[in-house]
Amino acid sequence: MSQPQATEANDIAYCRSDFPVLDQAVNGHPLVYLDSAASAQQPAAVIDAVARYQREDHANVHRGVHTLSHRATELYEGARDKLCSFINASSRAEIIHTSGTTESINLVAQSYCRPMLQAGDQILITWLEHHSNIVPWQLVCEQTGAELIVAPINDRGEVELDELRALMTDRVKLLGIGHVSNALGTINPLLEIIADAKQRGISVLVDGAQAVPHMNVDVQALGCDFYAFSSHKMIGPTGAGVLWGREALLEAMPPYKGGGDMILEVNFEHTVFNELPYKFEAGTPNISGMIGFGAAVDYLQSVGMDNIYQHEKALHSYMVSKLKAIDGLHLIGTAREQASVQSFRLNDIHPHDLGTILDHQGVAVRTGHHCAMPVMQRFGLPGTTRASLGLYNNSDDVDQLVVALEKARQVFA
Amino acid sequence: MSQPQATEANDIAYCRSDFPVLDQAVNGHPLVYLDSAASAQQPAAVIDAVARYQREDHANVHRGVHTLSHRATELYEGARDKLCSFINASSRAEIIHTSGTTESINLVAQSYCRPMLQAGDQILITWLEHHSNIVPWQLVCEQTGAELIVAPINDRGEVELDELRALMTDRVKLLGIGHVSNALGTINPLLEIIADAKQRGISVLVDGAQAVPHMNVDVQALGCDFYAFSSHKMIGPTGAGVLWGREALLEAMPPYKGGGDMILEVNFEHTVFNELPYKFEAGTPNISGMIGFGAAVDYLQSVGMDNIYQHEKALHSYMVSKLKAIDGLHLIGTAREQASVQSFRLNDIHPHDLGTILDHQGVAVRTGHHCAMPVMQRFGLPGTTRASLGLYNNSDDVDQLVVALEKARQVFA
Amino acid sequence: MNVIANNDELQQLYRETILDHARKPRNFRQLAKATHTAEGINPLCGDKLRLYLVVDADQTVIEAGFEGSGCAISMASASLLTETVPNLSVAEADACFVSVTGRLTEQTVDSELATKIDLSKLKALDGVRAHPSRVKCATLAWHTLHAALIHSQTSAKTE
Amino acid sequence: MNVIANNDELQQLYRETILDHARKPRNFRQLAKATHTAEGINPLCGDKLRLYLVVDADQTVIEAGFEGSGCAISMASASLLTETVPNLSVAEADACFVSVTGRLTEQTVDSELATKIDLSKLKALDGVRAHPSRVKCATLAWHTLHAALIHSQTSAKTE
Ligand SMILES: Cc1ncc(COP(=O)(O)O)c(C=O)c1O
Ligand SMILES: Cc1ncc(COP(=O)(O)O)c(C=O)c1O
């Protein structure tokens, strides 16, 4: 692979000025935001869409005959349509609005798995998973007597495919797997893995929190059964997310929560649940969050997911080449297919100390376990420092990171 | 009761101009928003607090050492402190951020009730409840073999206290009761009811969605065990809410969802849950929503909850006197203690038709079952038309409603 | 009294025909000999109706009736329906469903069958087009017709 | 290389004393004779330490030791702690907890007991005050001390 030039990485960096938060100084330095894997920043188009909604159109959805309520419903349901086509779902009935990836996965654990799991059944995950794709399964296993089993990863941070396959026995009812690792950036070869699982009759949930913001995702092409993601990782508001699921599976699942909007008829003898997707959307939803989410999808599509992918890939390569040149810096996570996330250590400086020193220089990175403690345990580390890129980053950001790391080396020399 | 003057009702109406959405024409008429019980409008202070956060301070909370993450965490946790003192909770550990009342109640049903309920146990509610305070109990009863029992209401829309008390037997494990009815406006005599229940060893959950926006609420003085409410009903953003619970009870409950932030330590053998309130807050929370919620509390407190209560009470009395004067209009819900919500029928005009005709004249009311189908069944109605007031309403709004109702009578004459 | 803007629009919606059918719904009864029946629910406003059809061996609709409660638009629409479908073949009746729902949701639906049927009376429903939130009320009976014709066991709904 | 603003602040945080204790933590060992022990966790950065105290019949702390891993601030703070508490009474040691955590969180805490103890060495920790996100690292060991002294079975944590 030829080393990319800094300029290549700047193709779409013109969009940077659309993100107001980036235009500020932190500790006397221009902000360098390298923490998009934790939460992405929002373009003015998203912030304004939310504010405009609140200033002009707000009302509760679905249940009103008046004009504002109708407008709010159109905007809210319009966001569902945008999300439906964004991930190429086959029907809007399959787009369940949730509060985020975590809730999406809990919904599947409780409504899909809990009723079906027997003692002795297994749920299969990998060592790469985020806590959100571990703990919900631990809880449902405890509730049902099922067992959680885990496929190992290698030293590059890739799932050991042979071992994963070997674990796919008759006992396994569901495979929960990340599309892209938030801690190491590894892109899993999902097409292959899902095909294997489905062949063995295993349902597959994909945690797509770190994939949807950075690449084209087509849930039908992937062949999985459930796909979960969050608005705030993809330049949208917090408190909003999606569970996509196959209509037939969702249809057969009991509701997750009870309340308004998820029922057709309530009386004390029997209650008739609403149709999809509403069966899973009890209570007043995050209307403004979903409207902002829809605006985020519009924005991403206007830039183009392929452009975003190429831009971030080039910038990541540039960052890796620069980091490698730093004395005492060790990359953690060197998968052959890697997204725009890079974990590393610098000598024996604790990540928390490193984070503070970088912050002093305006550079925002995440440090610690990244909600993926098993990954840390696998590498025998208390945590890592992680620089993660978004569409708005450019090579200057990487250069500033490198300068700041050199300074840290001096402090701890 | 002396009939209030229109002017009295305008005490705090100066705040109306703080609410940008109200300043618009709908169908050629100035908007008259009488649907606050469905969702309240937001003052610019709340809209701007959210936008400012997104433009200046956004990052993920709790897990970051960098400046933005620290600022975001301070703002987010600051909102918890405001909510804690707003309802006079004894500790911030008792303020669980949820997506709204519906989720708060489901949390209690699943984490508090589900593990403890046995076949034959009972959950007690009333005929006044919103679906959010019915369906979660139906679901958990189905899951456990417990039974849902329901205390009746009288023709004014008040809970029959004797019958409620008679139902409070040893078999009842929890009483779920609304503070204020969203369909009829009835204010339940909670102090008395809760004391009775507690004396019999029954836990009490209060659905406070319609109370907290309109009156001073002190959860310690009430003596209940859980109290649930929503941000969007109290001039804050959608997708945010609170479950308040007694610390000792929350402490003993298993987590509701699994994911990031709700754990201290994850490994595949055993996982250590975080302390309160974080044990119940899995995943990235609705950061901007909670910050807006905090700003809403600030705004409400600056106006003063007592002022709001008095203003709405006077305006409600004015509205009732005006409505009563309309030929063919029947009030539904005439409790002796009533909040600023009024349901009614006009001749045999179907509420849906009435809603459309009012909307034509710029008047936004809610029509239908108001997510309280049992109340409608009790009164033998398909639904009602409901005008509900907020702090920003004034006597002009009421006058416009009356004009619009007269017009409807003509159309259907 | 203040001036009512859009007065026309309101009168378009609540035409005399609509108010008349809503007040005095035609064929408002259960049909004991019904061969087809279905229930329709519009959860938005609580409209609920059950439609009964008598279809003979030739697949012709002999009679239609309904029961239920709802807003003026949904009641009038159901009443008009029961006057429209008798003497139509099952295929023709279903074509009416396609045609009416298409017209009200402003989709152009071409159905040869429907063009042969006189639907002029249903023009009375056209006022709902300007009221997107009411279209579901007007189409409920027709969705229910469709459900009854295909012997659906589940209830029809318009939300 | 660009100019580092706030360089001073950074040097205040990572003073020589801190770096020295972090690199070579004192009393970094399990104490077999420990009478009191507790674990402290700072989930934010994964700091984790176990503190051991030997307390004699007079309620005097004879010896202190710790094990664990964490950032420079938390390790240095623990190391400094183990040099501070020996020869103090249990009450005095607990007063140090109050005093140090109070000082770092900028609450003024008045404790007669603490004023009698020489805490000047702990001034090295004062740099964290300017770094609110790091205060928890500095106070972790002291919270753990408090937990150990009150024989708490649960682990201490600072989040
Ligand atoms: C009395 C009452 N309880 C519960 C709810 C449910 O609140 P939310 O939809 O915000 O979850 C509402 C509002 O819809 C309500 O009025
Ligand atoms: C891979 C992965 N899965 C799940 C999550 C959880 O997402 P959320 O916190 O938005 O629920 C995250 C982000 O924290 C993530 O990176």
Side-chain angles (χ1 to χ4, degrees), chain C residues 25 33 36-37 39 60 65 83 89 92 105 108 113 141 147 156:
Chain C
K33 293 171 300 172
H36 294 59
T37 179
E39 188 177 47
T60 301
E83 291 193 329
S89 72
E92 287 168 332
T105 55
T108 30
L113 273 177

Short mmCIF file of all heavy atoms in Angstrom, two decimals, chain C residues 25 33 36-37 39 60 65 83 89 92 105 108 113 141 147 156:
data_model
loop_
_atom_site.label_atom_id
_atom_site.label_comp_id
_atom_site.label_asym_id
_atom_site.label_seq_id
_atom_site.Cartn_x
_atom_site.Cartn_y
_atom_site.Cartn_z
N PRO C 25 -77.10 6.87 8.78
CA PRO C 25 -76.35 5.89 7.97
C PRO C 25 -77.29 4.86 7.35
O PRO C 25 -78.20 4.35 8.01
CB PRO C 25 -75.38 5.26 8.96
CG PRO C 25 -75.80 5.70 10.31
CD PRO C 25 -76.65 6.91 10.17
N LYS C 33 -77.45 -13.13 7.11
CA LYS C 33 -77.04 -14.05 6.06
C LYS C 33 -75.66 -13.73 5.49
O LYS C 33 -75.28 -14.23 4.42
CB LYS C 33 -78.07 -13.99 4.92
CG LYS C 33 -79.44 -14.54 5.29
CD LYS C 33 -80.45 -14.25 4.18
CE LYS C 33 -80.57 -12.75 3.97
NZ LYS C 33 -81.38 -12.34 2.81
N HIS C 36 -69.54 -12.77 4.12
CA HIS C 36 -68.23 -12.17 4.34
C HIS C 36 -68.39 -11.07 5.40
O HIS C 36 -69.35 -10.32 5.37
CB HIS C 36 -67.69 -11.50 3.08
CG HIS C 36 -67.37 -12.44 1.97
ND1 HIS C 36 -68.31 -13.28 1.39
CD2 HIS C 36 -66.20 -12.68 1.31
CE1 HIS C 36 -67.73 -13.98 0.44
NE2 HIS C 36 -66.45 -13.64 0.36
N THR C 37 -67.39 -10.98 6.26
CA THR C 37 -67.44 -9.90 7.25
C THR C 37 -66.02 -9.56 7.67
O THR C 37 -65.10 -10.40 7.57
CB THR C 37 -68.30 -10.28 8.47
OG1 THR C 37 -68.29 -9.21 9.41
CG2 THR C 37 -67.77 -11.54 9.15
N GLU C 39 -63.72 -6.53 10.35
CA GLU C 39 -63.79 -5.40 11.27
C GLU C 39 -62.69 -4.39 10.91
O GLU C 39 -61.59 -4.78 10.53
CB GLU C 39 -63.56 -5.89 12.69
CG GLU C 39 -63.81 -4.81 13.73
CD GLU C 39 -63.65 -5.32 15.15
OE1 GLU C 39 -62.64 -6.00 15.42
OE2 GLU C 39 -64.52 -5.02 15.98
N THR C 60 -71.33 -12.40 -6.80
CA THR C 60 -71.88 -11.06 -6.87
C THR C 60 -72.30 -10.61 -5.46
O THR C 60 -72.86 -11.41 -4.71
CB THR C 60 -73.10 -11.02 -7.80
OG1 THR C 60 -72.69 -11.45 -9.09
CG2 THR C 60 -73.69 -9.60 -7.89
N GLY C 65 -74.05 -4.29 4.65
CA GLY C 65 -74.51 -3.60 5.84
C GLY C 65 -73.33 -3.36 6.77
O GLY C 65 -72.26 -3.97 6.61
N GLU C 83 -74.13 1.47 -0.18
CA GLU C 83 -75.01 1.77 -1.32
C GLU C 83 -74.32 1.52 -2.64
O GLU C 83 -74.97 1.44 -3.68
CB GLU C 83 -75.47 3.23 -1.25
CG GLU C 83 -76.42 3.51 -0.11
CD GLU C 83 -77.09 4.87 -0.26
OE1 GLU C 83 -76.44 5.78 -0.84
OE2 GLU C 83 -78.24 5.02 0.16
N SER C 89 -69.75 -7.37 -8.91
CA SER C 89 -69.04 -8.62 -8.68
C SER C 89 -68.00 -8.39 -7.59
O SER C 89 -67.63 -7.23 -7.31
CB SER C 89 -68.35 -9.09 -9.95
OG SER C 89 -67.24 -8.24 -10.22
N GLU C 92 -65.25 -6.45 -8.96
CA GLU C 92 -65.59 -5.03 -9.13
C GLU C 92 -65.59 -4.29 -7.79
O GLU C 92 -65.14 -3.15 -7.69
CB GLU C 92 -66.96 -4.90 -9.80
CG GLU C 92 -66.94 -5.26 -11.28
CD GLU C 92 -68.35 -5.41 -11.86
OE1 GLU C 92 -69.28 -5.75 -11.09
OE2 GLU C 92 -68.51 -5.21 -13.06
N THR C 105 -56.00 9.32 -1.53
CA THR C 105 -54.60 9.53 -1.17
C THR C 105 -53.85 10.16 -2.34
O THR C 105 -52.63 10.24 -2.33
CB THR C 105 -53.93 8.21 -0.76
OG1 THR C 105 -54.12 7.27 -1.83
CG2 THR C 105 -54.57 7.64 0.49
N THR C 108 -52.77 8.08 -8.47
CA THR C 108 -53.60 7.74 -9.62
C THR C 108 -53.52 6.23 -9.82
O THR C 108 -52.45 5.67 -10.01
CB THR C 108 -53.14 8.45 -10.90
OG1 THR C 108 -51.73 8.64 -10.80
CG2 THR C 108 -53.85 9.78 -11.07
N LEU C 113 -61.75 -2.06 -14.44
CA LEU C 113 -63.01 -2.46 -13.83
C LEU C 113 -63.72 -1.26 -13.20
O LEU C 113 -64.91 -1.05 -13.40
CB LEU C 113 -62.75 -3.49 -12.73
CG LEU C 113 -62.70 -4.96 -13.17
CD1 LEU C 113 -62.36 -5.83 -11.98
CD2 LEU C 113 -64.04 -5.36 -13.78
N ALA C 141 -63.64 2.27 5.80
CA ALA C 141 -64.66 1.32 5.36
C ALA C 141 -64.18 0.55 4.13
O ALA C 141 -64.46 -0.65 3.99
CB ALA C 141 -65.95 2.07 5.04
N ALA C 147 -60.62 -6.22 3.18
CA ALA C 147 -60.32 -7.31 4.12
C ALA C 147 -61.42 -8.34 4.09
O ALA C 147 -61.16 -9.56 4.10
CB ALA C 147 -60.14 -6.74 5.53
N ALA C 156 -58.97 -4.88 9.73
CA ALA C 156 -58.32 -3.85 8.93
C ALA C 156 -58.08 -2.63 9.81
O ALA C 156 -58.80 -2.39 10.77
CB ALA C 156 -59.22 -3.46 7.76
#
